[in-house]
Amino acid sequence: MKPGRLSLELADAKLGDPRRSRRLGQVAGRMAQAPERSLSAACGGWNESVAAYRLLAAPQVTPEKILAPHRLALQERASALPCIAVIQDTTELDFTVMKHMEGTGSLNDDHRRGLFLHTLYAVSESGLPLGIWDLNFLQRAAKEARRAAGSHKQRPLEERESYRWLAGYRETQALAAALPECEVFSIADREGDLYDVFAAWAEICEAGGPVAQWLIRGKQDRALQGMGDEASPDKLFAALSGGPKLGEMHFEMPAAVQQRKAKNASRTRVKTERRARTVVQEVRAMAVTPRPPFRRGGRLPAVTLWALWACEINPPEGEEPVCWLLLTSVPVTTLATAQRLIALYLRRWDIEVYHRTLKTGCRVERMQLKGAGAVR
């Protein structure tokens, strides 16, 4: 988005005083023109810098109010498209070196301090960026405090970190309800493999009206409900291995050097080399009904969804096969539908690029702000 367009959007924010709104537009425009600079350097003078810091410290200036006019502009852009993807992902904002910063929490260990940023990033099916639909900051307590709070399975979902995926789907559903002529997808990686999302979708379908579809990278070998045959597999992977074959996919995979987690080690990484090759995948898909998990108050309702399995045939010796498990609300009965959904899921890389740009291009982790509240 051009700096001028962004500043015009944010200048419409309702901040309780038109002067604050104008100031927000000016600050956004300056930062967009020089994203690699600090806030004071981008403002270009002492008076402008003081005004910017005062703006960020004002209680009337909240993330929701800042984002509101951008959301309206995003909605208008999306209304002209047949399909959009709202991609969810979480990234770390590491402020360990900012010793003076208040309001941070633990990251992967208690020695590193910062925040987790969960973003909903909207793009067209072809990858045209549309904007940020929602974002949330998570402040994680220290490990001892988390232990004192008890097992996460004993806490309501709303008190767990994983709740962000359900909240993100609900926000995407709000966009889908506002765009009845547009097909809206919520896309998430393995962390978003949460049954509560499936249950929320089923509930919205029963109520009628526009519904946000979802496409999630599968993480769990889920137990399945009985499929009407005592000999039927009771686990997802076993069922898919014998499921209907839709066809094959071919693509070229370049050589790469990767860092992977070592087996049985949570933080140790090993370097692996991947050779270039033509990958041939067998594509299977079927409708499945996972066994619902328990939540406080009882078991969640049963939901029938579609599982899409694309796995490499005869990989070279010493190479791991390239396999993808995707779970979706969309019926997958043809190879063309499967290929479309796989291509749509690959749009998830766009949010990785956005987060990397935020940290390396905009250098958000090096902003000289006193408190985490100003970053938010």
Side-chain angles (χ1 to χ4, degrees), residues 334-348:
T334 66
L335 180 61
T337 300
Q339 290 174 318
R340 183 204 176 204
L341 291 176
I342 290 172
L344 195 59
Y345 178 78
L346 294 178
R347 292 262 62 94
R348 209 198 68 79

Side-chain angles (χ1 to χ4, degrees), residues 182-204:
C182 179
E183 187 179 26
V184 179
F185 277 86
S186 174
I187 297 179
D189 64 4
R190 291 183 179 95
E191 280 192 89
D193 184 1
L194 189 68
Y195 192 95
D196 303 78
V197 173
F198 314 155
W201 163 76
E203 182 180 358
I204 295 166

Side-chain angles (χ1 to χ4, degrees), residues 345-364:
Y345 178 78
L346 294 178
R347 292 262 62 94
R348 209 198 68 79
W349 179 250
D350 296 346
I351 199 170
E352 301 278 358
V353 174
Y354 169 74
H355 281 156
R356 186 172 68 243
T357 302
L358 192 65
K359 292 192 280 187
T360 61
C362 300
R363 301 179 66 187
V364 67

Side-chain angles (χ1 to χ4, degrees), residues 233 235-245 282 284 286 309:
K235 284 300 197 70
L236 178 58
F237 292 158
L240 278 171
S241 65
K245 180 179 176 180
E282 184 178 72
R284 298 177 183 270
M286 62 188 301
W309 177 249

Side-chain angles (χ1 to χ4, degrees), residues 95-158:
F95 297 118
T96 304
V97 299
M98 305 297 182
K99 304 297 183 182
H100 64 280
M101 182 172 284
E102 304 167 354
T104 58
S106 298
L107 295 177
N108 284 342
D109 59 67
D110 288 344
H111 300 291
R112 297 172 56 240
R113 308 291 295 174
L115 298 168
F116 291 94
L117 171 62
H118 189 73
T119 308
L120 272 64
Y121 179 59
V123 300
S124 70
E125 190 168 1
S126 62
L128 176 69
L130 301 173
I132 304 301
W133 180 243
D134 194 37
L135 54 83
N136 284 286
F137 292 89
L138 291 82
Q139 182 181 351
R140 179 181 288 173
K143 188 178 296 183
E144 290 185 3
R146 296 199 302 273
R147 286 175 179 170
S151 168
H152 76 283
K153 292 184 178 180
Q154 299 171 352
R155 301 196 300 272
L157 178 65
E158 291 77 7

Side-chain angles (χ1 to χ4, degrees), residues 79-91:
S79 65
L81 300 171
C83 175
I84 66 168
V86 180
I87 312 162
Q88 296 194 58
D89 196 29
T90 306
T91 190

